């Protein structure tokens, strides 16, 4: 638990594990949420070799920034893949121009901080899989207990405004 000044050690942070198939895996320590952050989130990711913690995506409401602490990897953007390594800082604006994916391209773990604004509701777009996600009550990276709505759906699914009324 954080002290009265919002100080928390990474050993105390809420941990999330992600793994799916051969492409996705990683551990995230929710530093911002654990420390009591309300408008700024921060997650410390550790990603095993040849994996990515999340699919290629962008946020419509939140800006993100990545700072690489250890290891090497690639940053996939809309137009290219860029090498990143210890000391690299990446600014990712909200919207399609900020679409990204971090991929560990080495034989060693990749550790990086992901800092984000905490605007909600937020809509996340996943171009590779044609999915859209939304979250309300707490922005991505915020306290999970505050989430009141979280949904994923195919971007091409659509209903009439009046359906079911």
């Amino acid at each position: 638990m954080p002290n009265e000044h919002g100080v928390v050690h990474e050993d105390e942070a809420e941990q999330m594990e992600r793994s799916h198939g051969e492409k996705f895996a990683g551990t995230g320590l929710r530093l911002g949420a654990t420390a009591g952050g309300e408008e700024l989130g921060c997650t410390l990711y550790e990603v095993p070799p040849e994996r990515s913690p999340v699919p290629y995506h962008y946020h419509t409401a939140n800006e993100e920034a990545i700072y690489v602490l250890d290891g090497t990897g690639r940053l996939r953007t809309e137009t290219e893949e860029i090498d990143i390594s210890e000391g690299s800082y990446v600014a990712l604006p909200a919207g399609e121009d900020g679409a990204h994916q971090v991929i560990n391209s080495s034989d060693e773990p990749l550790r990086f901080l992901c800092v984000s604004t905490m605007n909600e509701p937020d809509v996340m777009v996943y171009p590779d899989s044609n999915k859209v996600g939304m979250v309300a009550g707490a922005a991505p990276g915020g306290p999970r207990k505050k989430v009141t709505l979280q949904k994923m759906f195919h971007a091409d699914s659509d209903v009439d405004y009046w359906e079911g009324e």
Side-chain angles (χ1 to χ4, degrees), residues 14 16 19 29 33-35 49 70 78 96 133 150 155 163:
E14 177 186 345
M16 61 180 175
S19 180
L29 300 177
T34 304
D70 296 301
E78 184 178 16
E96 196 170 349
Q150 186 168 8
E163 184 176 319

PDB file of all heavy atoms in Angstrom, residues 14 16 19 29 33-35 49 70 78 96 133 150 155 163:
ATOM      1  N   GLU A  14      -0.031  -3.683  -7.699  1.00  0.00           N
ATOM      2  CA  GLU A  14      -0.974  -4.659  -8.231  1.00  0.00           C
ATOM      3  C   GLU A  14      -0.371  -5.240  -9.510  1.00  0.00           C
ATOM      4  O   GLU A  14       0.070  -4.516 -10.385  1.00  0.00           O
ATOM      5  CB  GLU A  14      -2.309  -3.982  -8.538  1.00  0.00           C
ATOM      6  CG  GLU A  14      -3.327  -4.901  -9.153  1.00  0.00           C
ATOM      7  CD  GLU A  14      -4.595  -4.174  -9.578  1.00  0.00           C
ATOM      8  OE1 GLU A  14      -4.816  -3.018  -9.155  1.00  0.00           O
ATOM      9  OE2 GLU A  14      -5.347  -4.776 -10.357  1.00  0.00           O
ATOM     10  N   MET A  16      -0.530  -7.692 -12.961  1.00  0.00           N
ATOM     11  CA  MET A  16      -1.386  -8.349 -13.942  1.00  0.00           C
ATOM     12  C   MET A  16      -0.501  -9.166 -14.871  1.00  0.00           C
ATOM     13  O   MET A  16       0.593  -8.743 -15.237  1.00  0.00           O
ATOM     14  CB  MET A  16      -2.217  -7.342 -14.716  1.00  0.00           C
ATOM     15  CG  MET A  16      -1.428  -6.345 -15.499  1.00  0.00           C
ATOM     16  SD  MET A  16      -2.536  -5.222 -16.366  1.00  0.00           S
ATOM     17  CE  MET A  16      -1.328  -4.114 -17.058  1.00  0.00           C
ATOM     18  N   SER A  19      -1.002 -13.446 -21.209  1.00  0.00           N
ATOM     19  CA  SER A  19      -0.396 -14.438 -22.081  1.00  0.00           C
ATOM     20  C   SER A  19      -1.462 -14.942 -23.046  1.00  0.00           C
ATOM     21  O   SER A  19      -2.587 -15.234 -22.638  1.00  0.00           O
ATOM     22  CB  SER A  19       0.169 -15.598 -21.255  1.00  0.00           C
ATOM     23  OG  SER A  19       0.749 -16.555 -22.105  1.00  0.00           O
ATOM     24  N   LEU A  29       3.039  -4.262 -13.711  1.00  0.00           N
ATOM     25  CA  LEU A  29       2.884  -3.795 -12.337  1.00  0.00           C
ATOM     26  C   LEU A  29       2.212  -2.432 -12.397  1.00  0.00           C
ATOM     27  O   LEU A  29       2.780  -1.469 -12.922  1.00  0.00           O
ATOM     28  CB  LEU A  29       4.234  -3.706 -11.632  1.00  0.00           C
ATOM     29  CG  LEU A  29       5.008  -5.015 -11.532  1.00  0.00           C
ATOM     30  CD1 LEU A  29       6.368  -4.776 -10.888  1.00  0.00           C
ATOM     31  CD2 LEU A  29       4.214  -6.052 -10.760  1.00  0.00           C
ATOM     32  N   ALA A  33      -1.925   3.105 -10.310  1.00  0.00           N
ATOM     33  CA  ALA A  33      -3.158   2.754  -9.595  1.00  0.00           C
ATOM     34  C   ALA A  33      -2.863   2.390  -8.147  1.00  0.00           C
ATOM     35  O   ALA A  33      -3.579   2.801  -7.232  1.00  0.00           O
ATOM     36  CB  ALA A  33      -3.868   1.602 -10.304  1.00  0.00           C
ATOM     37  N   THR A  34      -1.790   1.617  -7.926  1.00  0.00           N
ATOM     38  CA  THR A  34      -1.452   1.201  -6.564  1.00  0.00           C
ATOM     39  C   THR A  34      -1.063   2.395  -5.702  1.00  0.00           C
ATOM     40  O   THR A  34      -1.381   2.443  -4.516  1.00  0.00           O
ATOM     41  CB  THR A  34      -0.311   0.168  -6.582  1.00  0.00           C
ATOM     42  OG1 THR A  34      -0.694  -0.931  -7.413  1.00  0.00           O
ATOM     43  CG2 THR A  34      -0.027  -0.365  -5.180  1.00  0.00           C
ATOM     44  N   ALA A  35      -0.398   3.386  -6.301  1.00  0.00           N
ATOM     45  CA  ALA A  35       0.034   4.571  -5.557  1.00  0.00           C
ATOM     46  C   ALA A  35      -1.095   5.571  -5.344  1.00  0.00           C
ATOM     47  O   ALA A  35      -0.925   6.559  -4.646  1.00  0.00           O
ATOM     48  CB  ALA A  35       1.200   5.244  -6.275  1.00  0.00           C
ATOM     49  N   PRO A  49      11.311 -12.622 -24.163  1.00  0.00           N
ATOM     50  CA  PRO A  49      11.814 -12.561 -25.540  1.00  0.00           C
ATOM     51  C   PRO A  49      10.763 -12.943 -26.576  1.00  0.00           C
ATOM     52  O   PRO A  49       9.947 -13.853 -26.363  1.00  0.00           O
ATOM     53  CB  PRO A  49      12.963 -13.577 -25.542  1.00  0.00           C
ATOM     54  CG  PRO A  49      13.440 -13.584 -24.117  1.00  0.00           C
ATOM     55  CD  PRO A  49      12.196 -13.413 -23.295  1.00  0.00           C
ATOM     56  N   ASP A  70      15.238  -1.407 -19.528  1.00  0.00           N
ATOM     57  CA  ASP A  70      16.220  -2.464 -19.807  1.00  0.00           C
ATOM     58  C   ASP A  70      15.794  -3.234 -21.042  1.00  0.00           C
ATOM     59  O   ASP A  70      14.595  -3.503 -21.222  1.00  0.00           O
ATOM     60  CB  ASP A  70      16.300  -3.471 -18.642  1.00  0.00           C
ATOM     61  CG  ASP A  70      16.795  -2.867 -17.364  1.00  0.00           C
ATOM     62  OD1 ASP A  70      17.917  -2.345 -17.360  1.00  0.00           O
ATOM     63  OD2 ASP A  70      16.050  -2.933 -16.364  1.00  0.00           O
ATOM     64  N   GLU A  78       2.038   2.902 -37.231  1.00  0.00           N
ATOM     65  CA  GLU A  78       1.196   2.763 -38.421  1.00  0.00           C
ATOM     66  C   GLU A  78       2.029   2.602 -39.693  1.00  0.00           C
ATOM     67  O   GLU A  78       1.619   1.923 -40.630  1.00  0.00           O
ATOM     68  CB  GLU A  78       0.287   3.984 -38.537  1.00  0.00           C
ATOM     69  CG  GLU A  78      -0.699   3.910 -39.668  1.00  0.00           C
ATOM     70  CD  GLU A  78      -1.612   5.119 -39.719  1.00  0.00           C
ATOM     71  OE1 GLU A  78      -1.322   6.151 -39.081  1.00  0.00           O
ATOM     72  OE2 GLU A  78      -2.635   5.024 -40.406  1.00  0.00           O
ATOM     73  N   GLU A  96      -5.520   7.788 -33.972  1.00  0.00           N
ATOM     74  CA  GLU A  96      -4.902   6.858 -34.918  1.00  0.00           C
ATOM     75  C   GLU A  96      -3.407   7.108 -35.104  1.00  0.00           C
ATOM     76  O   GLU A  96      -2.635   6.173 -35.312  1.00  0.00           O
ATOM     77  CB  GLU A  96      -5.629   6.962 -36.257  1.00  0.00           C
ATOM     78  CG  GLU A  96      -5.375   5.823 -37.190  1.00  0.00           C
ATOM     79  CD  GLU A  96      -6.296   5.850 -38.400  1.00  0.00           C
ATOM     80  OE1 GLU A  96      -7.267   6.626 -38.426  1.00  0.00           O
ATOM     81  OE2 GLU A  96      -6.015   5.080 -39.331  1.00  0.00           O
ATOM     82  N   GLY A 133     -12.627  -1.728 -28.231  1.00  0.00           N
ATOM     83  CA  GLY A 133     -12.865  -1.939 -26.812  1.00  0.00           C
ATOM     84  C   GLY A 133     -13.249  -0.630 -26.163  1.00  0.00           C
ATOM     85  O   GLY A 133     -12.889   0.447 -26.655  1.00  0.00           O
ATOM     86  N   GLN A 150     -16.860  -2.484 -19.270  1.00  0.00           N
ATOM     87  CA  GLN A 150     -15.717  -2.859 -20.088  1.00  0.00           C
ATOM     88  C   GLN A 150     -16.208  -3.855 -21.121  1.00  0.00           C
ATOM     89  O   GLN A 150     -16.720  -4.920 -20.771  1.00  0.00           O
ATOM     90  CB  GLN A 150     -14.598  -3.468 -19.242  1.00  0.00           C
ATOM     91  CG  GLN A 150     -13.348  -3.723 -20.030  1.00  0.00           C
ATOM     92  CD  GLN A 150     -12.158  -4.057 -19.141  1.00  0.00           C
ATOM     93  OE1 GLN A 150     -12.287  -4.239 -17.939  1.00  0.00           O
ATOM     94  NE2 GLN A 150     -10.997  -4.134 -19.741  1.00  0.00           N
ATOM     95  N   ALA A 155     -15.475  -4.366 -34.807  1.00  0.00           N
ATOM     96  CA  ALA A 155     -15.764  -3.016 -35.283  1.00  0.00           C
ATOM     97  C   ALA A 155     -16.873  -2.983 -36.322  1.00  0.00           C
ATOM     98  O   ALA A 155     -17.561  -1.985 -36.456  1.00  0.00           O
ATOM     99  CB  ALA A 155     -14.499  -2.379 -35.857  1.00  0.00           C
ATOM    100  N   GLU A 163     -33.090  -0.170 -32.168  1.00  0.00           N
ATOM    101  CA  GLU A 163     -33.302  -1.613 -31.978  1.00  0.00           C
ATOM    102  C   GLU A 163     -33.533  -1.935 -30.507  1.00  0.00           C
ATOM    103  O   GLU A 163     -32.793  -1.491 -29.634  1.00  0.00           O
ATOM    104  CB  GLU A 163     -32.076  -2.393 -32.479  1.00  0.00           C
ATOM    105  CG  GLU A 163     -32.274  -3.896 -32.399  1.00  0.00           C
ATOM    106  CD  GLU A 163     -31.110  -4.665 -32.983  1.00  0.00           C
ATOM    107  OE1 GLU A 163     -30.586  -4.249 -34.044  1.00  0.00           O
ATOM    108  OE2 GLU A 163     -30.741  -5.666 -32.373  1.00  0.00           O
TER     109      GLU A 163
END
